[in-house]
Amino acid sequence: MFASLKRLIGSAPAARDEGQVLGAWAKSEGFTFKRVKDKTGGGYVVETKEGWRVEWGGSQRSYISGQELRFRCDTGLPGDVQMVMVSRVLAQLLESEVFSSFTNAMQTQIDNSLPDEMRWLAMHPKVSLNAAAVLAKRFVLLANAEGVAQAWLNPEMVMALEEAATTWWTDSLLLVLTVNRGMLTVRMPGEPLEVGQLHMVGELFARIARRMRDVALAGV
Protein backbone atom coordinates (compact mmCIF):
# COMPACT_ATOMS: atom_id res chain seq x y z
CA MET A 1 0.00 0.00 0.00
CA PHE A 2 2.76 2.48 0.95
CA ALA A 3 4.42 2.00 -2.43
CA SER A 4 1.10 2.84 -4.08
CA LEU A 5 0.68 5.95 -1.93
CA LYS A 6 4.22 7.07 -2.73
CA ARG A 7 3.41 6.79 -6.42
CA LEU A 8 0.18 8.70 -5.76
CA ILE A 9 1.77 11.67 -4.00
CA GLY A 10 5.19 11.61 -5.66
CA SER A 11 8.70 11.72 -4.22
CA ALA A 12 9.45 13.52 -0.98
CA PRO A 13 11.05 16.95 -1.40
CA ALA A 14 14.33 18.11 0.06
CA ALA A 15 14.12 18.98 3.75
CA ARG A 16 13.03 22.54 4.53
CA ASP A 17 11.24 24.43 7.27
CA GLU A 18 7.54 24.09 6.42
CA GLY A 19 6.79 26.41 9.31
CA GLN A 20 7.93 29.35 7.19
CA VAL A 21 5.37 28.46 4.52
CA LEU A 22 2.61 27.83 7.05
CA GLY A 23 3.45 31.07 8.85
CA ALA A 24 3.40 33.08 5.61
CA TRP A 25 -0.03 31.70 4.75
CA ALA A 26 -1.37 32.39 8.25
CA LYS A 27 -0.10 35.98 8.12
CA SER A 28 -1.68 36.57 4.70
CA GLU A 29 -5.04 35.34 6.04
CA GLY A 30 -4.89 37.27 9.32
CA PHE A 31 -4.65 34.05 11.38
CA THR A 32 -2.62 33.42 14.56
CA PHE A 33 0.48 31.28 14.04
CA LYS A 34 2.56 29.69 16.78
CA ARG A 35 5.05 26.91 17.36
CA VAL A 36 4.23 24.14 19.85
CA LYS A 37 6.51 21.64 21.55
CA ASP A 38 5.85 18.09 22.67
CA LYS A 39 7.71 14.80 23.23
CA THR A 40 8.07 14.22 19.49
CA GLY A 41 9.71 17.58 18.86
CA GLY A 42 6.64 19.69 18.30
CA GLY A 43 5.08 21.39 15.33
CA TYR A 44 2.93 24.39 14.45
CA VAL A 45 -0.62 25.56 15.10
CA VAL A 46 -2.70 28.11 13.22
CA GLU A 47 -5.84 29.50 14.87
CA THR A 48 -8.55 31.35 12.96
CA LYS A 49 -11.17 33.90 13.99
CA GLU A 50 -13.94 31.48 12.92
CA GLY A 51 -12.87 28.98 15.55
CA TRP A 52 -11.20 26.33 13.43
CA ARG A 53 -7.52 25.50 13.59
CA VAL A 54 -4.71 23.95 11.61
CA GLU A 55 -2.14 21.59 13.13
CA TRP A 56 1.19 20.58 11.58
CA GLY A 57 3.27 17.82 13.14
CA GLY A 58 4.10 14.14 13.13
CA SER A 59 1.65 11.95 11.22
CA GLN A 60 -1.16 10.33 13.20
CA ARG A 61 -2.09 8.01 10.33
CA SER A 62 -0.18 5.11 8.78
CA TYR A 63 -1.21 6.14 5.27
CA ILE A 64 0.52 9.54 5.65
CA SER A 65 4.28 9.30 6.01
CA GLY A 66 6.45 11.97 7.61
CA GLN A 67 4.61 15.09 8.68
CA GLU A 68 0.86 15.63 8.58
CA LEU A 69 -1.35 18.71 8.18
CA ARG A 70 -4.72 18.68 9.94
CA PHE A 71 -7.58 21.18 9.59
CA ARG A 72 -9.95 20.73 12.56
CA CYS A 73 -13.22 22.20 13.74
CA ASP A 74 -15.95 21.42 16.28
CA THR A 75 -19.17 21.30 14.23
CA GLY A 76 -21.72 20.80 16.97
CA LEU A 77 -23.02 17.69 15.19
CA PRO A 78 -24.06 14.74 17.39
CA GLY A 79 -21.08 12.72 18.59
CA ASP A 80 -22.27 9.51 16.99
CA VAL A 81 -22.34 10.93 13.43
CA GLN A 82 -19.54 9.44 11.34
CA MET A 83 -18.62 10.51 7.80
CA VAL A 84 -15.66 10.06 5.48
CA MET A 85 -15.10 11.58 2.04
CA VAL A 86 -12.13 10.73 -0.19
CA SER A 87 -11.31 10.44 -3.86
CA ARG A 88 -12.18 7.12 -5.49
CA VAL A 89 -8.49 6.50 -6.19
CA LEU A 90 -7.55 6.90 -2.52
CA ALA A 91 -10.59 4.91 -1.37
CA GLN A 92 -9.45 1.95 -3.45
CA LEU A 93 -5.96 2.08 -1.93
CA LEU A 94 -7.28 2.30 1.63
CA GLU A 95 -9.85 -0.45 1.03
CA SER A 96 -7.06 -2.70 -0.28
CA GLU A 97 -5.12 -2.14 2.94
CA VAL A 98 -8.19 -2.96 5.05
CA PHE A 99 -8.76 -6.16 3.05
CA SER A 100 -5.10 -7.12 3.35
CA SER A 101 -5.13 -6.56 7.11
CA PHE A 102 -8.33 -8.58 7.42
CA THR A 103 -7.18 -11.59 5.36
CA ASN A 104 -3.55 -11.73 6.49
CA ALA A 105 -4.60 -12.00 10.13
CA MET A 106 -7.44 -14.44 9.31
CA GLN A 107 -9.76 -12.22 11.31
CA THR A 108 -13.50 -12.57 11.69
CA GLN A 109 -14.01 -8.87 12.40
CA ILE A 110 -12.50 -5.59 11.26
CA ASP A 111 -9.23 -4.73 13.00
CA ASN A 112 -9.91 -2.01 15.59
CA SER A 113 -6.27 -0.92 15.38
CA LEU A 114 -6.95 0.54 11.94
CA PRO A 115 -7.80 4.26 11.74
CA ASP A 116 -11.53 4.97 12.03
CA GLU A 117 -11.86 6.23 8.46
CA MET A 118 -10.32 3.04 7.04
CA ARG A 119 -12.77 0.87 8.98
CA TRP A 120 -15.70 3.06 7.91
CA LEU A 121 -14.92 2.29 4.26
CA ALA A 122 -15.92 -1.28 5.03
CA MET A 123 -18.63 -0.55 7.60
CA HIS A 124 -20.74 2.42 6.45
CA PRO A 125 -23.05 2.69 3.44
CA LYS A 126 -22.24 5.02 0.57
CA VAL A 127 -24.18 8.26 0.36
CA SER A 128 -25.66 8.86 -3.09
CA LEU A 129 -23.91 11.60 -5.07
CA ASN A 130 -26.05 11.12 -8.18
CA ALA A 131 -27.28 14.71 -7.99
CA ALA A 132 -23.68 15.93 -8.31
CA ALA A 133 -22.19 14.33 -11.42
CA VAL A 134 -18.65 15.63 -10.93
CA LEU A 135 -18.50 14.46 -7.33
CA ALA A 136 -20.06 11.09 -8.14
CA LYS A 137 -17.37 10.44 -10.73
CA ARG A 138 -14.40 11.42 -8.61
CA PHE A 139 -15.33 10.87 -4.95
CA VAL A 140 -17.00 8.56 -2.46
CA LEU A 141 -18.88 9.69 0.64
CA LEU A 142 -19.80 7.21 3.36
CA ALA A 143 -21.77 7.90 6.53
CA ASN A 144 -23.79 6.23 9.26
CA ALA A 145 -26.22 9.17 9.13
CA GLU A 146 -27.31 9.69 5.53
CA GLY A 147 -29.80 12.41 6.46
CA VAL A 148 -27.03 14.56 7.94
CA ALA A 149 -24.77 13.94 4.94
CA GLN A 150 -27.48 14.85 2.44
CA ALA A 151 -28.45 17.98 4.39
CA TRP A 152 -24.80 19.08 4.36
CA LEU A 153 -24.68 18.71 0.56
CA ASN A 154 -26.87 21.68 -0.28
CA PRO A 155 -26.42 23.33 -3.73
CA GLU A 156 -23.84 25.84 -2.47
CA MET A 157 -21.77 23.09 -0.83
CA VAL A 158 -21.92 20.89 -3.91
CA MET A 159 -20.79 23.83 -6.05
CA ALA A 160 -17.80 24.49 -3.76
CA LEU A 161 -16.79 20.82 -3.75
CA GLU A 162 -17.14 20.51 -7.52
CA GLU A 163 -15.03 23.63 -8.01
CA ALA A 164 -12.31 22.05 -5.87
CA ALA A 165 -12.66 18.74 -7.72
CA THR A 166 -12.11 20.41 -11.09
CA THR A 167 -9.19 22.61 -10.01
CA TRP A 168 -6.91 21.55 -7.15
CA TRP A 169 -8.40 18.46 -5.42
CA THR A 170 -6.83 16.04 -7.89
CA ASP A 171 -6.44 12.26 -7.68
CA SER A 172 -2.76 12.78 -6.82
CA LEU A 173 -3.63 14.74 -3.65
CA LEU A 174 -3.88 12.52 -0.58
CA LEU A 175 -6.66 14.25 1.34
CA VAL A 176 -9.14 12.68 3.75
CA LEU A 177 -12.23 14.43 5.15
CA THR A 178 -13.91 12.95 8.23
CA VAL A 179 -16.51 13.77 10.86
CA ASN A 180 -16.31 11.95 14.17
CA ARG A 181 -17.39 12.86 17.72
CA GLY A 182 -18.59 16.19 16.39
CA MET A 183 -15.17 17.09 14.98
CA LEU A 184 -14.60 17.86 11.31
CA THR A 185 -11.07 16.94 10.24
CA VAL A 186 -9.22 17.19 6.95
CA ARG A 187 -5.89 15.35 6.82
CA MET A 188 -3.19 15.66 4.18
CA PRO A 189 0.60 15.28 3.91
CA GLY A 190 2.43 18.04 5.74
CA GLU A 191 5.20 18.37 3.20
CA PRO A 192 5.71 20.02 0.85
CA LEU A 193 3.46 22.95 1.72
CA GLU A 194 2.59 25.72 -0.72
CA VAL A 195 0.85 28.97 0.22
CA GLY A 196 -1.48 28.75 -2.78
CA GLN A 197 -2.62 25.24 -1.90
CA LEU A 198 -3.07 26.17 1.76
CA HIS A 199 -5.31 29.04 0.70
CA MET A 200 -7.52 26.77 -1.43
CA VAL A 201 -7.78 23.98 1.15
CA GLY A 202 -8.39 26.49 3.94
CA GLU A 203 -11.11 28.27 1.99
CA LEU A 204 -12.94 25.01 1.26
CA PHE A 205 -12.54 23.81 4.84
CA ALA A 206 -14.06 27.05 6.15
CA ARG A 207 -17.09 26.60 3.87
CA ILE A 208 -17.50 22.97 4.93
CA ALA A 209 -17.24 23.90 8.61
CA ARG A 210 -19.83 26.69 8.29
CA ARG A 211 -22.27 24.41 6.48
CA MET A 212 -21.89 21.59 9.01
CA ARG A 213 -22.48 24.02 11.86
CA ASP A 214 -25.66 25.19 10.11
CA VAL A 215 -26.82 21.58 9.79
CA ALA A 216 -26.08 21.00 13.47
CA LEU A 217 -28.05 24.11 14.50
CA ALA A 218 -30.98 22.96 12.35
CA GLY A 219 -31.01 19.69 14.28
CA VAL A 220 -31.17 17.50 11.17
Side-chain angles (χ1 to χ4, degrees):
M1 172 188 171
F2 294 114
S4 298
L5 288 177
K6 286 180 180 179
R7 288 195 295 271
L8 176 66
I9 64 177
S11 301
R16 66 172 183 174
D17 184 4
E18 302 294 346
Q20 294 182 358
V21 181
L22 193 61
W25 167 70
K27 183 178 180 180
S28 71
E29 299 288 344
F31 300 153
T32 301
F33 172 77
K34 58 185 178 182
R35 185 182 183 95
V36 294
K37 295 183 178 181
D38 58 26
K39 295 180 180 179
T40 63
Y44 305 101
V45 169
V46 174
E47 296 180 342
T48 74
K49 295 178 181 179
E50 290 189 62
W52 53 273
R53 59 190 273 146
V54 183
E55 302 167 351
W56 185 96
S59 175
Q60 298 178 349
R61 292 296 187 267
S62 60
Y63 55 79
I64 297 178
S65 59
Q67 303 300 312
E68 177 180 291
L69 189 69
R70 297 178 293 275
F71 292 73
R72 309 197 71 208
C73 175
D74 188 346
T75 64
L77 288 170
D80 58 351
V81 171
Q82 298 173 344
M83 293 171 51
V84 56
M85 183 175 181
V86 294
S87 69
R88 288 188 175 275
V89 171
L90 182 55
Q92 290 173 358
L93 290 173
L94 297 180
E95 286 171 346
S96 295
E97 177 66 10
V98 172
F99 180 77
S100 176
S101 174
F102 181 83
T103 55
N104 289 346
M106 298 296 288
Q107 295 171 319
T108 57
Q109 60 183 1
I110 298 174
D111 187 352
N112 286 330
S113 68
L114 292 172
D116 289 334
E117 57 270 24
M118 291 177 68
R119 291 187 287 111
W120 296 345
L121 291 173
M123 292 169 53
H124 295 333
K126 291 183 179 180
V127 176
S128 175
L129 297 175
N130 292 336
V134 174
L135 296 185
K137 182 178 180 181
R138 291 269 328 282
F139 296 91
V140 293
L141 172 63
L142 300 98
N144 66 348
E146 184 172 0
V148 174
Q150 292 289 8
W152 166 60
L153 289 172
N154 69 347
E156 291 77 16
M157 191 73 260
V158 169
M159 184 180 298
L161 289 168
E162 289 190 336
E163 181 181 355
T166 54
T167 53
W168 58 265
W169 193 347
T170 63
D171 287 338
S172 62
L173 176 62
L174 197 167
L175 190 149
V176 179
L177 183 157
T178 62
V179 175
N180 191 25
R181 300 183 182 90
M183 292 295 297
L184 165 67
T185 304
V186 164
R187 299 178 187 273
M188 59 186 290
E191 48 193 348
L193 296 181
E194 301 293 342
V195 171
Q197 186 181 65
L198 287 169
H199 174 75
M200 291 183 288
V201 178
E203 185 177 68
L204 178 64
F205 184 86
R207 290 186 181 185
I208 293 172
R210 287 194 293 267
R211 178 57 191 162
M212 287 191 173
R213 284 172 169 173
D214 287 345
V215 172
L217 288 173
V220 176

